[in-house]
PDB file of all heavy atoms in Angstrom:
ATOM      1  N   VAL A   1       0.831  -1.171   0.007  1.00  0.00           N
ATOM      2  CA  VAL A   1       0.000   0.001   0.004  1.00  0.00           C
ATOM      3  C   VAL A   1       0.886   1.238  -0.004  1.00  0.00           C
ATOM      4  O   VAL A   1       1.693   1.413   0.893  1.00  0.00           O
ATOM      5  CB  VAL A   1      -0.934   0.015   1.227  1.00  0.00           C
ATOM      6  CG1 VAL A   1      -1.856   1.207   1.159  1.00  0.00           C
ATOM      7  CG2 VAL A   1      -1.738  -1.273   1.278  1.00  0.00           C
ATOM      8  N   LYS A   2       0.724   2.077  -1.000  1.00  0.00           N
ATOM      9  CA  LYS A   2       1.491   3.326  -1.047  1.00  0.00           C
ATOM     10  C   LYS A   2       0.955   4.271   0.025  1.00  0.00           C
ATOM     11  O   LYS A   2      -0.253   4.442   0.160  1.00  0.00           O
ATOM     12  CB  LYS A   2       1.381   3.966  -2.415  1.00  0.00           C
ATOM     13  CG  LYS A   2       2.066   3.191  -3.524  1.00  0.00           C
ATOM     14  CD  LYS A   2       1.967   3.889  -4.856  1.00  0.00           C
ATOM     15  CE  LYS A   2       2.699   3.112  -5.943  1.00  0.00           C
ATOM     16  NZ  LYS A   2       2.623   3.804  -7.245  1.00  0.00           N
ATOM     17  N   PRO A   3       1.858   4.941   0.785  1.00  0.00           N
ATOM     18  CA  PRO A   3       1.370   5.858   1.802  1.00  0.00           C
ATOM     19  C   PRO A   3       0.784   7.121   1.177  1.00  0.00           C
ATOM     20  O   PRO A   3       1.116   7.476   0.063  1.00  0.00           O
ATOM     21  CB  PRO A   3       2.632   6.200   2.603  1.00  0.00           C
ATOM     22  CG  PRO A   3       3.741   6.002   1.609  1.00  0.00           C
ATOM     23  CD  PRO A   3       3.323   4.854   0.746  1.00  0.00           C
ATOM     24  N   LEU A   4      -0.117   7.723   1.939  1.00  0.00           N
ATOM     25  CA  LEU A   4      -0.661   9.011   1.505  1.00  0.00           C
ATOM     26  C   LEU A   4       0.402  10.075   1.580  1.00  0.00           C
ATOM     27  O   LEU A   4       1.410   9.930   2.281  1.00  0.00           O
ATOM     28  CB  LEU A   4      -1.875   9.401   2.390  1.00  0.00           C
ATOM     29  CG  LEU A   4      -3.049   8.420   2.352  1.00  0.00           C
ATOM     30  CD1 LEU A   4      -4.121   8.883   3.325  1.00  0.00           C
ATOM     31  CD2 LEU A   4      -3.627   8.315   0.944  1.00  0.00           C
ATOM     32  N   ALA A   5       0.196  11.173   0.876  1.00  0.00           N
ATOM     33  CA  ALA A   5       1.180  12.239   0.884  1.00  0.00           C
ATOM     34  C   ALA A   5       1.325  12.838   2.289  1.00  0.00           C
ATOM     35  O   ALA A   5       2.416  13.169   2.722  1.00  0.00           O
ATOM     36  CB  ALA A   5       0.745  13.330  -0.111  1.00  0.00           C
ATOM     37  N   ASP A   6       0.172  12.935   2.962  1.00  0.00           N
ATOM     38  CA  ASP A   6       0.222  13.428   4.332  1.00  0.00           C
ATOM     39  C   ASP A   6       0.279  12.268   5.307  1.00  0.00           C
ATOM     40  O   ASP A   6      -0.307  11.222   5.088  1.00  0.00           O
ATOM     41  CB  ASP A   6      -1.006  14.301   4.629  1.00  0.00           C
ATOM     42  CG  ASP A   6      -1.059  15.538   3.727  1.00  0.00           C
ATOM     43  OD1 ASP A   6       0.030  16.058   3.398  1.00  0.00           O
ATOM     44  OD2 ASP A   6      -2.185  15.937   3.371  1.00  0.00           O
ATOM     45  N   HIS A   7       0.959  12.453   6.417  1.00  0.00           N
ATOM     46  CA  HIS A   7       1.031  11.405   7.421  1.00  0.00           C
ATOM     47  C   HIS A   7      -0.321  11.277   8.112  1.00  0.00           C
ATOM     48  O   HIS A   7      -1.055  12.234   8.293  1.00  0.00           O
ATOM     49  CB  HIS A   7       2.128  11.748   8.468  1.00  0.00           C
ATOM     50  CG  HIS A   7       3.510  11.699   7.895  1.00  0.00           C
ATOM     51  ND1 HIS A   7       4.125  10.527   7.555  1.00  0.00           N
ATOM     52  CD2 HIS A   7       4.378  12.703   7.588  1.00  0.00           C
ATOM     53  CE1 HIS A   7       5.322  10.798   7.075  1.00  0.00           C
ATOM     54  NE2 HIS A   7       5.506  12.116   7.080  1.00  0.00           N
ATOM     55  N   GLY A   8      -0.640  10.039   8.516  1.00  0.00           N
ATOM     56  CA  GLY A   8      -1.906   9.827   9.227  1.00  0.00           C
ATOM     57  C   GLY A   8      -2.418   8.421   8.964  1.00  0.00           C
ATOM     58  O   GLY A   8      -1.704   7.557   8.447  1.00  0.00           O
ATOM     59  N   ALA A   9      -3.648   8.166   9.357  1.00  0.00           N
ATOM     60  CA  ALA A   9      -4.237   6.823   9.233  1.00  0.00           C
ATOM     61  C   ALA A   9      -4.559   6.538   7.775  1.00  0.00           C
ATOM     62  O   ALA A   9      -4.958   7.412   7.015  1.00  0.00           O
ATOM     63  CB  ALA A   9      -5.512   6.744  10.064  1.00  0.00           C
ATOM     64  N   CYS A  10      -4.389   5.280   7.401  1.00  0.00           N
ATOM     65  CA  CYS A  10      -4.716   4.835   6.063  1.00  0.00           C
ATOM     66  C   CYS A  10      -5.448   3.496   6.177  1.00  0.00           C
ATOM     67  O   CYS A  10      -4.886   2.511   6.647  1.00  0.00           O
ATOM     68  CB  CYS A  10      -3.439   4.677   5.236  1.00  0.00           C
ATOM     69  SG  CYS A  10      -3.746   4.054   3.566  1.00  0.00           S
ATOM     70  N   ASP A  11      -6.727   3.473   5.768  1.00  0.00           N
ATOM     71  CA  ASP A  11      -7.506   2.240   5.834  1.00  0.00           C
ATOM     72  C   ASP A  11      -7.299   1.386   4.583  1.00  0.00           C
ATOM     73  O   ASP A  11      -7.354   1.899   3.467  1.00  0.00           O
ATOM     74  CB  ASP A  11      -9.004   2.543   5.973  1.00  0.00           C
ATOM     75  CG  ASP A  11      -9.341   3.163   7.316  1.00  0.00           C
ATOM     76  OD1 ASP A  11      -8.472   3.099   8.206  1.00  0.00           O
ATOM     77  OD2 ASP A  11     -10.452   3.714   7.459  1.00  0.00           O
ATOM     78  N   LEU A  12      -7.051   0.115   4.786  1.00  0.00           N
ATOM     79  CA  LEU A  12      -6.929  -0.838   3.692  1.00  0.00           C
ATOM     80  C   LEU A  12      -8.168  -1.737   3.729  1.00  0.00           C
ATOM     81  O   LEU A  12      -8.433  -2.404   4.740  1.00  0.00           O
ATOM     82  CB  LEU A  12      -5.661  -1.676   3.830  1.00  0.00           C
ATOM     83  CG  LEU A  12      -5.516  -2.839   2.836  1.00  0.00           C
ATOM     84  CD1 LEU A  12      -5.410  -2.263   1.407  1.00  0.00           C
ATOM     85  CD2 LEU A  12      -4.291  -3.682   3.172  1.00  0.00           C
ATOM     86  N   ASN A  13      -8.929  -1.716   2.620  1.00  0.00           N
ATOM     87  CA  ASN A  13     -10.133  -2.539   2.558  1.00  0.00           C
ATOM     88  C   ASN A  13      -9.915  -3.699   1.583  1.00  0.00           C
ATOM     89  O   ASN A  13      -9.560  -3.492   0.417  1.00  0.00           O
ATOM     90  CB  ASN A  13     -11.329  -1.703   2.069  1.00  0.00           C
ATOM     91  CG  ASN A  13     -11.663  -0.609   3.079  1.00  0.00           C
ATOM     92  OD1 ASN A  13     -11.902  -0.873   4.232  1.00  0.00           O
ATOM     93  ND2 ASN A  13     -11.661   0.621   2.593  1.00  0.00           N
ATOM     94  N   LEU A  14     -10.137  -4.889   2.062  1.00  0.00           N
ATOM     95  CA  LEU A  14     -10.016  -6.088   1.195  1.00  0.00           C
ATOM     96  C   LEU A  14     -11.441  -6.617   0.970  1.00  0.00           C
ATOM     97  O   LEU A  14     -12.141  -6.957   1.916  1.00  0.00           O
ATOM     98  CB  LEU A  14      -9.178  -7.161   1.914  1.00  0.00           C
ATOM     99  CG  LEU A  14      -9.131  -8.535   1.229  1.00  0.00           C
ATOM    100  CD1 LEU A  14      -8.532  -8.425  -0.157  1.00  0.00           C
ATOM    101  CD2 LEU A  14      -8.371  -9.518   2.082  1.00  0.00           C
ATOM    102  N   LYS A  15     -11.827  -6.659  -0.302  1.00  0.00           N
ATOM    103  CA  LYS A  15     -13.145  -7.155  -0.645  1.00  0.00           C
ATOM    104  C   LYS A  15     -13.007  -8.480  -1.408  1.00  0.00           C
ATOM    105  O   LYS A  15     -12.416  -8.551  -2.473  1.00  0.00           O
ATOM    106  CB  LYS A  15     -13.902  -6.142  -1.517  1.00  0.00           C
ATOM    107  CG  LYS A  15     -15.315  -6.578  -1.848  1.00  0.00           C
ATOM    108  CD  LYS A  15     -16.017  -5.479  -2.621  1.00  0.00           C
ATOM    109  CE  LYS A  15     -17.457  -5.908  -2.933  1.00  0.00           C
ATOM    110  NZ  LYS A  15     -18.199  -4.831  -3.675  1.00  0.00           N
ATOM    111  N   ILE A  16     -13.528  -9.560  -0.810  1.00  0.00           N
ATOM    112  CA  ILE A  16     -13.498 -10.883  -1.456  1.00  0.00           C
ATOM    113  C   ILE A  16     -14.734 -10.961  -2.335  1.00  0.00           C
ATOM    114  O   ILE A  16     -15.860 -11.066  -1.848  1.00  0.00           O
ATOM    115  CB  ILE A  16     -13.501 -11.985  -0.412  1.00  0.00           C
ATOM    116  CG1 ILE A  16     -12.309 -11.834   0.552  1.00  0.00           C
ATOM    117  CG2 ILE A  16     -13.481 -13.349  -1.081  1.00  0.00           C
ATOM    118  CD1 ILE A  16     -12.318 -12.808   1.696  1.00  0.00           C
ATOM    119  N   THR A  17     -14.545 -10.920  -3.658  1.00  0.00           N
ATOM    120  CA  THR A  17     -15.687 -10.961  -4.557  1.00  0.00           C
ATOM    121  C   THR A  17     -16.014 -12.367  -5.015  1.00  0.00           C
ATOM    122  O   THR A  17     -17.162 -12.703  -5.300  1.00  0.00           O
ATOM    123  CB  THR A  17     -15.429 -10.082  -5.806  1.00  0.00           C
ATOM    124  OG1 THR A  17     -14.232 -10.502  -6.412  1.00  0.00           O
ATOM    125  CG2 THR A  17     -15.297  -8.631  -5.393  1.00  0.00           C
ATOM    126  N   ARG A  18     -15.006 -13.210  -5.117  1.00  0.00           N
ATOM    127  CA  ARG A  18     -15.261 -14.618  -5.503  1.00  0.00           C
ATOM    128  C   ARG A  18     -14.325 -15.518  -4.691  1.00  0.00           C
ATOM    129  O   ARG A  18     -13.114 -15.392  -4.774  1.00  0.00           O
ATOM    130  CB  ARG A  18     -15.009 -14.811  -6.990  1.00  0.00           C
ATOM    131  CG  ARG A  18     -15.999 -14.103  -7.872  1.00  0.00           C
ATOM    132  CD  ARG A  18     -15.836 -14.519  -9.331  1.00  0.00           C
ATOM    133  NE  ARG A  18     -16.798 -13.836 -10.169  1.00  0.00           N
ATOM    134  CZ  ARG A  18     -18.065 -14.236 -10.350  1.00  0.00           C
ATOM    135  NH1 ARG A  18     -18.494 -15.320  -9.748  1.00  0.00           N
ATOM    136  NH2 ARG A  18     -18.871 -13.574 -11.127  1.00  0.00           N
ATOM    137  N   ALA A  19     -14.920 -16.435  -3.934  1.00  0.00           N
ATOM    138  CA  ALA A  19     -14.123 -17.375  -3.168  1.00  0.00           C
ATOM    139  C   ALA A  19     -14.947 -18.611  -2.898  1.00  0.00           C
ATOM    140  O   ALA A  19     -16.145 -18.526  -2.620  1.00  0.00           O
ATOM    141  CB  ALA A  19     -13.660 -16.750  -1.828  1.00  0.00           C
ATOM    142  N   ALA A  20     -14.364 -19.771  -3.018  1.00  0.00           N
ATOM    143  CA  ALA A  20     -15.089 -21.015  -2.743  1.00  0.00           C
ATOM    144  C   ALA A  20     -15.445 -21.078  -1.270  1.00  0.00           C
ATOM    145  O   ALA A  20     -14.588 -20.885  -0.388  1.00  0.00           O
ATOM    146  CB  ALA A  20     -14.223 -22.211  -3.140  1.00  0.00           C
ATOM    147  N   ASN A  21     -16.724 -21.296  -0.989  1.00  0.00           N
ATOM    148  CA  ASN A  21     -17.198 -21.413   0.403  1.00  0.00           C
ATOM    149  C   ASN A  21     -16.669 -20.259   1.254  1.00  0.00           C
ATOM    150  O   ASN A  21     -16.115 -20.430   2.303  1.00  0.00           O
ATOM    151  CB  ASN A  21     -16.734 -22.745   0.989  1.00  0.00           C
ATOM    152  CG  ASN A  21     -17.583 -23.153   2.191  1.00  0.00           C
ATOM    153  OD1 ASN A  21     -18.615 -22.534   2.467  1.00  0.00           O
ATOM    154  ND2 ASN A  21     -17.156 -24.151   2.919  1.00  0.00           N
ATOM    155  N   SER A  22     -16.909 -19.017   0.738  1.00  0.00           N
ATOM    156  CA  SER A  22     -16.297 -17.853   1.399  1.00  0.00           C
ATOM    157  C   SER A  22     -16.811 -17.657   2.818  1.00  0.00           C
ATOM    158  O   SER A  22     -16.152 -17.031   3.643  1.00  0.00           O
ATOM    159  CB  SER A  22     -16.615 -16.590   0.577  1.00  0.00           C
ATOM    160  OG  SER A  22     -18.011 -16.357   0.585  1.00  0.00           O
ATOM    161  N   GLY A  23     -17.951 -18.234   3.143  1.00  0.00           N
ATOM    162  CA  GLY A  23     -18.469 -18.084   4.493  1.00  0.00           C
ATOM    163  C   GLY A  23     -17.607 -18.742   5.542  1.00  0.00           C
ATOM    164  O   GLY A  23     -17.695 -18.418   6.718  1.00  0.00           O
ATOM    165  N   LEU A  24     -16.755 -19.687   5.147  1.00  0.00           N
ATOM    166  CA  LEU A  24     -15.921 -20.394   6.083  1.00  0.00           C
ATOM    167  C   LEU A  24     -14.506 -19.830   6.147  1.00  0.00           C
ATOM    168  O   LEU A  24     -13.671 -20.325   6.880  1.00  0.00           O
ATOM    169  CB  LEU A  24     -15.858 -21.884   5.725  1.00  0.00           C
ATOM    170  CG  LEU A  24     -17.205 -22.619   5.754  1.00  0.00           C
ATOM    171  CD1 LEU A  24     -17.014 -24.060   5.327  1.00  0.00           C
ATOM    172  CD2 LEU A  24     -17.814 -22.570   7.125  1.00  0.00           C
ATOM    173  N   VAL A  25     -14.232 -18.819   5.335  1.00  0.00           N
ATOM    174  CA  VAL A  25     -12.891 -18.242   5.305  1.00  0.00           C
ATOM    175  C   VAL A  25     -12.708 -17.296   6.495  1.00  0.00           C
ATOM    176  O   VAL A  25     -13.481 -16.361   6.658  1.00  0.00           O
ATOM    177  CB  VAL A  25     -12.649 -17.482   3.985  1.00  0.00           C
ATOM    178  CG1 VAL A  25     -11.279 -16.785   4.014  1.00  0.00           C
ATOM    179  CG2 VAL A  25     -12.713 -18.478   2.812  1.00  0.00           C
TER     180      VAL A  25
END
């Protein structure tokens, strides 16, 4: 993840769009 230009918090969101039996992951 590239940092923002300004220092501070940066949220990383991971979205699983396709996964076998994703409910058990």
